[in-house]
């Protein structure tokens, strides 16, 4: 396989633009795409923090292949050889691929071109320049702010199953939040509607709402902890004001940290 991979310097086929979702749209006008280089670098770095398994699609092939992101720096992204290894034979001639994965419950897809072998790496890996755009259709209209994962307690009940969950908020915005909870009593899946939800903010202000679940991550092996994300529904205006004051405080804190 290594001999096959080392032949990457042969043909330089460009990736088919049809591999990119919504390719008929101008990415610079489409909120589903990220085109700012700093934001692209930041997104890809998050794939290192919690490495997901990535799916690879190649031109002229109906098969799917797998890889792992190994390293991301401001200029390059490194990833493992494809499995099954037959994908490396196609990649050696094309030097281009489409990578698809999930980040925070949201699909993330991009094209890589001019892929080469990183000869300095041990074990051997593949390397390419960072993509110029990433398909990342954020449903959030407002920025989510990270919280201390044990500061804000969350409670809610599935409208469909009656399962009650209790956990802690990991990030929050004016439109929704993410929660980590113990899944031993039952799992909440995407599109579930949670009723009787409440969170207690650090200033002891309680807000009540319903939550439409937009993402749900399986627990890691050997762990009962599970993540979900969702959008607020039926939140009272007075509770929106409480939330807005809290988020304004978080934003000021982050701004001071950046200045320091």
């Amino acid at each position: 396989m290594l001999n096959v991979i080392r032949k990457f310097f042969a043909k330089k086929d460009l990736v088919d633009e049809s591999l990119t979702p919504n390719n008929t749209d101008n990415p610079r006008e489409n909120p589903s795409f990220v085109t700012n280089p700093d934001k692209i670098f930041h997104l890809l770095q998050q794939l290192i923090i919690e490495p997901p398994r990535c799916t690879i699609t190649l031109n002229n092939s109906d098969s799917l292949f797998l890889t792992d992101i190994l390293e991301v720096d401001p200029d390059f992204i490194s990833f493992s050889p494809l499995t099954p290894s037959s994908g490396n034979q196609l990649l050696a001639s094309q030097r281009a691929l489409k990578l698809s994965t999930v980040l925070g419950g949201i699909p993330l897809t991009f094209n890589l071109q001019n892929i080469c072998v990183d000869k300095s790496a041990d074990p051997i890996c593949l390397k390419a320049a960072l993509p110029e755009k990433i398909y990342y259709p954020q449903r959030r209209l407002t920025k989510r702010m990270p919280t201390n994962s044990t500061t804000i307690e969350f409670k809610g009940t599935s409208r469909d199953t009656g399962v009650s969950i209790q956990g802690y908020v990991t990030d929050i915005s004016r439109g929704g939040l993410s929660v980590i909870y113990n899944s031993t009593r039952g799992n909440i899946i995407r599109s579930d509607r949670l009723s009787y939800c409440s969170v207690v903010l650090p200033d002891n202000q309680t807000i009540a709402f319903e939550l439409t679940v937009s993402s749900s991550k399986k627990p890691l092996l050997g762990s009962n902890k599970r993540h979900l994300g969702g959008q607020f529904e039926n939140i009272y205006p007075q509770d929106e004001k409480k939330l807005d004051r809290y988020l304004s405080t978080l934003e000021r804190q982050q701004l001071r940290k950046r200045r320091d």
Side-chain angles (χ1 to χ4, degrees):
M1 181 185 72
L2 299 186
N3 290 334
V4 171
I5 298 176
R6 289 192 176 96
K7 295 179 180 178
F8 266 48
F9 299 97
K11 191 175 179 181
K12 295 185 178 181
D13 291 346
L14 295 178
V15 68
D16 186 349
E17 283 297 320
S18 65
L19 293 177
T20 305
N22 299 340
N23 63 294
T24 57
D25 295 324
N26 183 344
R28 298 190 182 278
E29 299 176 356
N30 189 335
S32 294
F33 287 89
V34 178
T35 57
N36 181 285
D38 291 335
K39 292 182 178 180
I40 287 175
F41 176 54
H42 175 71
L43 276 177
L44 295 180
Q45 278 192 314
Q46 293 182 52
L47 298 179
I48 300 296
I49 298 172
E50 296 185 27
R53 197 65 166 167
C54 302
T55 302
I56 299 298
T57 305
L58 301 173
N59 281 336
N60 303 319
S61 175
D62 295 328
S63 300
L64 294 178
F65 305 94
L66 298 176
T67 190
D68 293 298
I69 305 298
L70 302 177
E71 184 178 356
V72 175
D73 68 30
D75 298 312
F76 291 96
I77 181 171
S78 299
F79 54 99
S80 62
L82 309 188
T83 56
S85 59
S86 58
N88 296 298
Q89 297 175 349
L90 290 172
L91 192 55
S93 63
Q94 297 179 18
R95 297 186 63 191
L97 56 77
K98 184 187 80 168
L99 185 148
S100 301
T101 188
V102 175
L103 177 62
I106 301 173
L108 186 152
T109 302
F110 56 86
N111 292 332
L112 293 178
Q113 302 179 13
N114 298 323
I115 300 166
C116 64
V117 176
D118 187 350
K119 297 181 179 180
S120 63
D122 184 20
I124 192 170
C125 68
L126 308 178
K127 186 176 181 180
L130 298 188
E132 295 183 356
K133 60 183 178 181
I134 293 179
Y135 176 71
Y136 190 58
Q138 289 260 28
R139 297 177 180 85
R140 304 167 190 163
L141 299 178
T142 54
K143 179 181 178 182
R144 287 200 180 170
M145 307 291 290
T147 64
N148 184 319
S149 60
T150 59
T151 298
I152 303 178
E153 185 177 342
F154 170 89
K155 294 180 180 179
T157 302
S158 171
R159 178 182 294 181
D160 295 330
T161 65
V163 172
S164 296
I165 67 168
Q166 183 171 341
Y168 294 94
V169 176
T170 57
D171 60 66
I172 191 169
S173 75
R174 291 169 177 84
L177 50 70
S178 295
V179 174
I180 184 171
Y181 68 98
N182 192 313
S183 62
T184 54
R185 295 189 58 191
N187 292 329
I188 305 299
I189 63 174
R190 185 174 178 179
S191 78
D192 269 355
R193 185 70 169 261
L194 301 184
S195 302
Y196 310 111
C197 300
S198 66
V199 297
V200 181
L201 301 177
D203 57 1
N204 291 322
Q205 296 277 353
T206 300
I207 62 174
F209 52 91
E210 293 186 340
L211 192 76
T212 298
V213 178
S214 58
S215 67
S216 179
K217 296 177 63 176
K218 294 181 179 179
L220 297 175
L221 186 63
S223 172
N224 293 323
K225 299 298 183 182
R226 190 180 181 108
H227 289 81
L228 67 81
Q231 283 78 50
F232 295 133
E233 304 287 350
N234 298 327
I235 183 171
Y236 291 107
Q238 59 266 33
D239 286 342
E240 286 184 326
K241 292 180 180 179
K242 297 175 187 176
L243 179 61
D244 184 72
R245 286 195 296 268
Y246 171 67
L247 289 171
S248 296
T249 300
L250 281 183
E251 289 166 350
R252 288 193 295 270
Q253 290 173 352
Q254 288 201 355
L255 182 60
R256 285 196 295 269
K257 288 180 180 179
R258 286 197 296 267
R259 288 175 176 173
D260 293 341

